Amino acid sequence: MTSTITLTVTTGKLAGKKYIFDSRSTCIIGRSEECNLQIADDIDMTISRYHCLLDINPPQIRIRDFGSLNGTYVNGKKIGQREPNDTPEEAQKKVYPEYDLTNSDRVTIGDIIFDITIQGQIVNQPEPQNNKPNFFEIIQNLFNLANQNNQNNQNNQNPNYQNLQSIANYHIIHSLGQGGCGEVFLVKHIHTKKLLALKLMLPQVAAQPEGVKKFLRETENTKCLQHPHVIQLLDYGFAENAFFFTMEYCDCGDVLKLMETQGGCLPVNIAIPIILQVLDGLIYAHNVEIPHVLLADGTKGTGKGLVHRDLKPSNIFLTDVNGKMIAKIGDYGLAKAFDLAGLSGQTLTGTKAGSPVFMCRQQLIDFKRALPEVDVWAAAASLYCMLTGDVPRDFVGDPFSCVLKNDVVPIQKRDNNVENIPQKLADVIDLALREKPQLHFKTAADFKQALLDSI
């Protein structure tokens, strides 16, 4: 059964109106015309421009006040409001508590009241663990099971064990890095001696069959991406409550690590070739034919283009090909699909801060329907970071409030080595990061051409 969350307005001109969410979404409530749910009835000044955020991942829903003047209330209890003497600027520097909503809760914002209805199975969160999972042990167990299955030569019809065949012929060398819910290992094919990266991801909730199917369906879409500047996903599977993937190995690490070796930022003659290659990868991925998509009429069919939604320097990998440095976009769609399938066990605000700093305002406002242009903005933000060692916005306090309220700092105003950035290039980067009234560059091809014209 698909989980749904319904917000029903019970007061004012919008009384009786229902907002129904059946998938991962954000809903920003406030007076601003940018808000998903704009409350501008008679310009109610008791409601702030960006009042609060509903972070929705059915059947979970979480609410966070943005330091509003008059507060947000759940069942009559205030869950967020700035102090009387705080200015909006001072309030923004604080992070206000989040509140998990449940079925039949009532939310009051100014004179507007919403009733919350949650339908569908609630997936229980796992008990908190004192220690992080030992990913090496888990992946070693998977290898052992795969090899044991091979040795026994069993015709096992269990799809979990059939999936394990794809990793039976590899040997683990060492870990390449660990994140919150996964780890990447360097592995070698036993017969061909070819090096590959093997990524292991653990669901942070009890993996429901529908969520697993949804994630693997999205992963199949990612597997169809074949381009010199997109890391090739070779194989994947699910067994023993773990997802595993084999993919191209990039022997020079990622751009963030390169920046660290270069003193924190990169010169123009290194950063520009990297981002031009990234844009080539985006041009391809945004236009490629995708085999399994949900169409507007609710049926499944062939679609066009995939949006990454989490492009940043640490997701741009480098490899040496015949003495030339080649950039490749990594993790294309995996983190997004894992999250949208509800397997991360987190709402957007529960994820690690890091992605929000490369997220444009439009992506936060319309999280569910992110268009290719959000990747173009993230590419420009990544270039900005490569050249300055800093991110486009100032982030103090609530990161999502900062995305909504803080404008991008022009690249020439950063206190780093901006004198090395030509003015024409700086102008193009600033233009690419413009968000109001809309994002300037709609396609990666347009941004690429503007960059070429500036250098």
Side-chain angles (χ1 to χ4, degrees), residues 14 28 30-31 80 85 93 145 156 163 169 238 254 277 344 354 361 406 422 447-448:
L14 296 177
I28 298 166
R31 295 196 333 267
N85 296 326
K93 295 177 182 179
L145 282 170
N156 196 323
N163 286 339
N169 295 316
F238 176 74
D254 60 50
Q277 293 178 61
S344 68
R361 182 181 275 110
N406 290 355
F447 181 37
K448 178 185 176 183

Side-chain angles (χ1 to χ4, degrees), residues 185 195 257 271 312 331 353 420:
F185 298 89
L195 296 176
K257 290 178 182 176
K312 51 193 174 185
D331 202 19
N420 296 322

Side-chain angles (χ1 to χ4, degrees), residues 31 39 41-49 51 69-70 110:
R31 295 196 333 267
I39 303 174
D41 187 14
D42 298 324
I43 315 297
D44 185 352
M45 298 305 291
T46 63
I47 297 174
S48 300
R49 289 184 67 249
H51 196 98
L69 177 61
N70 293 288

Side-chain angles (χ1 to χ4, degrees), residues 23-309:
S23 61
R24 183 62 177 275
S25 306
T26 53
C27 182
I28 298 166
I29 301 174
R31 295 196 333 267
S32 171
E33 62 182 14
E34 291 183 309
C35 293
N36 312 89
L37 206 168
Q38 183 189 18
I39 303 174
D41 187 14
D42 298 324
I43 315 297
D44 185 352
M45 298 305 291
T46 63
I47 297 174
S48 300
R49 289 184 67 249
Y50 302 104
H51 196 98
C52 65
L53 168 69
L54 292 176
D55 191 356
I56 300 164
N57 192 8
Q60 301 172 75
I61 176 170
R62 180 176 293 175
I63 187 169
R64 173 187 286 186
D65 185 272
F66 281 142
S68 63
L69 177 61
N70 293 288
T72 300
Y73 294 79
V74 176
N75 301 327
K77 178 183 177 182
K78 183 171 66 180
I79 58 100
Q81 180 183 19
R82 70 175 182 257
E83 296 299 323
N85 296 326
D86 281 352
T87 65
E89 293 72 25
E90 291 170 334
Q92 188 179 323
K93 295 177 182 179
K94 301 178 180 178
V95 178
Y96 294 86
E98 296 175 334
Y99 190 97
D100 290 316
L101 298 174
T102 59
N103 188 47
S104 300
D105 277 347
R106 173 163 286 190
V107 178
T108 303
I109 300 168
D111 293 331
I112 305 297
I113 297 175
F114 302 89
D115 285 338
I116 307 295
T117 303
I118 300 176
Q119 294 180 312
Q121 184 178 7
I122 301 294
V123 180
N124 293 325
Q125 299 289 339
E127 290 297 321
Q129 296 181 350
N130 293 326
N131 300 311
K132 288 185 177 181
N134 187 324
F135 289 100
F136 190 88
E137 260 185 33
I138 295 166
I139 198 69
Q140 190 64 64
N141 287 340
L142 288 174
F143 272 82
N144 291 342
L145 282 170
N147 288 318
Q148 180 182 355
N149 203 39
N150 271 354
Q151 291 168 5
N152 293 339
N153 197 26
Q154 296 174 348
N155 185 21
N156 196 323
Q157 297 303 308
N158 184 333
N160 281 358
Y161 291 98
Q162 289 178 343
N163 286 339
L164 281 170
Q165 301 306 311
S166 63
I167 63 172
N169 295 316
Y170 291 98
H171 169 69
I172 305 173
I173 299 176
H174 59 73
S175 172
L176 294 171
Q178 181 174 324
C181 60
E183 187 162 0
V184 180
F185 298 89
L186 179 64
V187 297
K188 179 188 286 187
H189 194 276
I190 293 172
H191 303 296
T192 67
K193 309 303 180 185
K194 184 176 181 179
L195 296 176
L196 293 176
L198 191 150
K199 184 166 189 173
L200 176 73
M201 296 174 73
L202 298 181
Q204 301 300 295
V205 296
Q208 303 297 308
E210 192 57 39
V212 173
K213 288 179 183 177
K214 183 176 181 180
F215 179 51
L216 294 179
R217 184 173 65 243
E218 289 295 319
T219 302
E220 184 65 25
N221 287 337
T222 301
K223 191 177 178 181
C224 79
L225 298 178
Q226 298 186 38
H227 189 270
H229 299 299
V230 178
I231 288 182
Q232 175 70 51
L233 177 66
L234 302 171
D235 211 344
Y236 62 88
F238 176 74
E240 300 296 303
N241 204 40
F243 297 91
F244 52 88
F245 315 86
T246 52
M247 58 192 75
E248 284 183 274
Y249 168 59
C250 291
D251 55 358
C252 297
D254 60 50
V255 166
L256 188 61
K257 290 178 182 176
L258 177 64
M259 290 168 61
E260 291 170 355
T261 66
Q262 299 293 313
C265 57
L266 302 177
V268 170
N269 66 336
I270 293 180
I272 291 295
I274 288 174
I275 212 65
L276 290 176
Q277 293 178 61
V278 167
L279 290 170
D280 281 339
L282 290 178
I283 291 169
Y284 164 80
H286 290 164
N287 292 281
V288 69
E289 186 175 280
I290 304 299
H292 307 291
V293 296
L294 187 64
L295 303 176
D297 61 3
T299 62
K300 294 182 177 65
T302 301
K304 180 183 176 182
L306 280 179
V307 182
H308 190 289
R309 290 211 259 196

